[in-house]
Amino acid sequence: MEQNLATGIVIGTLVVVFFIGVSVLLLVTVHARRIRHRAELAEAERHRQQEVMRAEREATQQTLREVGRELHDNVAQVLSVAQMGMNNVLNAPAADSRLVAARDALDRGIEEVRRLGHDLNSDRWQQRSLVDAISADAERIERVGRVRAHVQVLGTPAPLAADTSIILYRAYQEVVHNALKHSGADTLTITLDGSQGLVLTISDNGRGFDADGLHSNGGLLGIRKRCALVGYTAQCTSRPGLGCTWTLKPAPADGT
Amino acid sequence: MSSSFLLVNGTELLALCCWLLFAQSAGRAWLIIGLQLVASNAVETLALFPSRLDVSPFYLYNIYLLAELSLMSWFIVELKPSLHRAAVVGNLVLLVVWLVESDLFGVEQSFHVIHLLLSALVLCAFTSLVLWELSLWEKEPLHRFPLFWLLLGMVLYFGGIAPVFSSFNYLARFESIMSNYLYWIVRILCAVRYLCVAYACILLYRQRSVLAAA
């Protein structure tokens, strides 16, 4: 009888341990499947978000292109007609000096409108590089005269896709706009490093700010969001009194 | 004694060393595991020298049963605080069972088998529940979690020893050789449990190293 009891105990133990083992194995398997399912859902959502962002980007580009064309073909033409009229008036003897000043202002206005029209036209990015666009913009900033803008090009930046160039240029414009508007800086240093992808660094010597305390700032988020659209990351380092530096660089391949 | 020593005391010692090296400062749940390891090592080591003890090994084991139940319940409550009340009630009821068994059979004459069986069932149920919750909420594969290995060791041990102890006293009285053979099942389950603990500690150390490096 004791023999039977011992056999029963051994079998009972084996059954219990087997049952527990199988249950845990099932738990682990079901859990792994659930994780895989979640990952698939997340991947599908990521694809959907990318599609939405791509559509948004295309719509934005289309709108900007239309606005640029309108500025160039319509507003600039109207202003040119006004310019011609002014020139006619000013060709008369004893032209009023105030009219001369107004004509000069009109000339500058026409030039700015044409430049803006060109900038907004994304088709133009097929012909020019980001380096050229940023250099031209730095020259324009210098011409205004309030801020010195130095452009440094390191290495030979590989040409970027038109979409990437225009988005990075918009991000650059936003950074420069913020620096000119808020920092009180008198020098901007823009570095384009082509040694590992294209890394764009924009530094100012302004009053700076606490970058850690501004994570949810709309403008900063906008810059990061723009960069993310083209697989770039935007990092801002700043401390009060120590200026600000933005680094736009390609995101690591694993997305970290 | 030597193979039994190697299996049970060896794995317990290994688990204790791993805990001391890798997991002693990993939070309160791990501290409880450490306390349990210290207690079990102490009891198993003392039980190796019965002639030098003033008390019977059964006395040691029966006291240890209470300590283990309390520590493991505390560990479970640390992981799932909502089980606090159930754990307190379970511990009180099982304390009464332990006292009744002590009164009926004495503390030094035999294992408190009923208390042990009920404790094993309660802890097995609690551990299964925590394991289930872990599988519901964790976003990484379970086998990468140190806690998973701790819980797996516990559920296998407490689930597996129940059939052995169901008629252990009876067999020990009439077929002591056979009961000794059967006790090997407990030793193997014990070794599996402590190997799981050791692996959990190593896994915890690896994870913390990766996090620190990141």
Side-chain angles (χ1 to χ4, degrees):
Chain A
M1 186 194 159
E2 282 81 15
Q3 186 76 41
N4 289 343
L5 187 59
T7 313
I9 288 172
V10 172
I11 292 172
T13 309
L14 287 177
V15 167
V16 169
V17 170
F18 177 77
F19 176 74
I20 291 172
V22 168
S23 303
V24 172
L25 197 66
L26 269 176
L27 197 70
V28 171
T29 312
V30 169
H31 182 255
R33 197 173 294 168
R34 197 183 298 139
I35 290 174
R36 211 164 37 241
H37 181 61
R38 276 187 203 145
E40 283 168 3
L41 282 179
E43 181 65 16
E45 176 62 16
R46 201 173 63 81
H47 272 296
R48 197 187 69 80
Q49 288 286 350
Q50 275 182 341
E51 282 301 308
V52 169
M53 282 197 289
R54 194 178 59 78
E56 277 178 6
R57 202 168 69 199
E58 282 176 5
T60 307
Q61 294 306 331
Q62 181 63 29
T63 308
L64 289 174
R65 202 177 294 133
E66 293 295 329
V67 171
R69 198 171 294 143
E70 281 298 306
L71 281 174
H72 187 265
D73 299 346
N74 194 353
V75 180
Q77 295 310 317
V78 172
L79 290 174
S80 292
V81 171
Q83 185 188 37
M84 280 190 289
M86 285 275 250
N87 283 337
N88 286 338
V89 173
L90 288 171
N91 284 340
D96 190 334
S97 62
R98 286 174 299 180
L99 275 178
V100 174
R103 199 257 325 257
D104 291 344
L106 190 57
D107 288 348
R108 284 199 299 277
I110 290 170
E111 193 185 324
E112 283 297 309
V113 166
R114 287 208 167 117
R115 188 192 58 77
L116 193 58
H118 277 132
D119 281 353
L120 292 176
N121 188 350
S122 58
D123 294 340
R124 227 176 139 246
W125 286 91
Q126 304 292 348
Q127 285 93 44
R128 74 168 174 174
S129 70
L130 183 64
V131 177
D132 294 341
I134 288 176
S135 300
D137 193 62
E139 277 174 28
R140 188 183 65 79
I141 292 169
E142 288 257 4
R143 270 206 310 275
V144 174
R146 193 170 62 84
V147 176
R148 287 190 303 280
H150 305 299
V151 178
Q152 292 178 317
V153 181
L154 308 174
T156 313
L160 297 172
D163 265 10
T164 307
S165 293
I166 197 165
I167 295 288
L168 285 180
Y169 186 65
R170 297 272 176 263
Y172 153 83
Q173 281 182 312
E174 198 159 342
V175 171
V176 170
H177 172 78
N178 287 340
L180 295 178
K181 190 173 174 186
H182 303 295
S183 76
D186 60 10
T187 305
L188 283 177
T189 306
I190 301 144
T191 308
L192 295 120
D193 185 353
S195 55
Q196 284 185 327
L198 178 68
V199 179
L200 176 60
T201 311
I202 306 139
S203 305
D204 67 59
N205 64 344
R207 64 178 68 96
F209 55 91
D210 180 11
D212 296 334
L214 276 178
H215 281 308
S216 57
N217 180 279
L220 306 191
L221 284 179
I223 292 166
R224 292 201 170 102
K225 197 175 165 189
R226 274 181 202 278
C227 290
L229 286 174
V230 289
Y232 264 65
T233 61
Q235 191 186 359
C236 174
T237 49
S238 182
R239 285 281 170 274
L242 296 175
C244 173
T245 299
W246 275 90
T247 308
L248 316 185
K249 61 182 176 186
D254 61 358
T256 53
Chain B
M1 187 187 94
S2 59
S3 49
S4 165
F5 171 80
L6 278 178
L7 193 67
V8 179
N9 294 63
T11 48
E12 277 184 353
L13 203 60
L14 174 73
L16 184 62
C17 289
C18 288
W19 177 82
L20 282 170
L21 284 173
F22 307 130
Q24 56 170 314
S25 58
R28 201 185 287 179
W30 288 89
L31 182 71
I32 299 165
I33 292 295
L35 288 176
Q36 189 270 327
L37 286 172
V38 169
S40 65
N41 267 283
V43 168
E44 292 293 347
T45 309
L46 286 174
L48 281 174
F49 310 102
S51 57
R52 294 190 183 179
L53 289 175
D54 289 338
V55 291
S56 132
F58 285 123
Y59 184 84
L60 271 180
Y61 282 121
N62 284 334
I63 297 289
Y64 174 69
L65 286 181
L66 276 182
E68 186 178 42
L69 174 68
S70 311
L71 287 170
M72 290 300 99
S73 303
W74 186 16
F75 172 70
I76 293 291
V77 169
E78 279 297 318
L79 299 180
K80 188 170 163 54
S82 60
L83 284 175
H84 180 258
R85 192 174 294 175
V88 170
V89 171
N91 270 263
L92 287 176
V93 169
L94 285 166
L95 178 65
V96 172
V97 171
W98 191 89
L99 290 172
V100 170
E101 269 194 291
S102 299
D103 191 46
L104 289 177
F105 308 114
V107 186
E108 300 193 6
Q109 280 74 44
S110 62
F111 270 137
H112 283 4
V113 169
I114 299 171
H115 175 270
L116 195 149
L117 280 176
L118 291 175
S119 303
L121 288 176
V122 167
L123 287 174
C124 200
F126 283 172
T127 310
S128 305
L129 195 64
V130 177
L131 206 52
W132 173 252
E133 295 246 324
L134 192 72
S135 79
L136 283 183
W137 302 116
E138 287 302 340
K139 294 188 172 77
E140 292 286 321
L142 285 179
H143 64 273
R144 289 188 197 160
F145 279 93
L147 275 181
F148 168 76
W149 291 98
L150 286 183
L151 296 168
L152 178 66
M154 281 173 69
V155 81
L156 279 174
Y157 175 75
F158 289 116
I161 62 170
V164 181
F165 281 104
S166 61
S167 43
F168 187 78
N169 279 349
Y170 174 80
L171 281 173
R173 192 172 303 149
F174 298 107
E175 283 285 343
S176 59
I177 297 172
M178 193 177 285
S179 73
N180 194 35
Y181 280 132
L182 281 176
Y183 199 70
W184 270 98
I185 295 176
V186 178
R187 291 184 184 117
I188 290 168
L189 288 169
C190 193
V192 169
R193 178 188 179 187
Y194 290 114
L195 285 176
C196 284
V197 173
Y199 183 65
C201 292
I202 293 168
L203 206 57
L204 181 77
Y205 171 71
R206 276 194 207 157
Q207 287 186 352
R208 292 170 104 191
S209 304
V210 169
L211 278 177

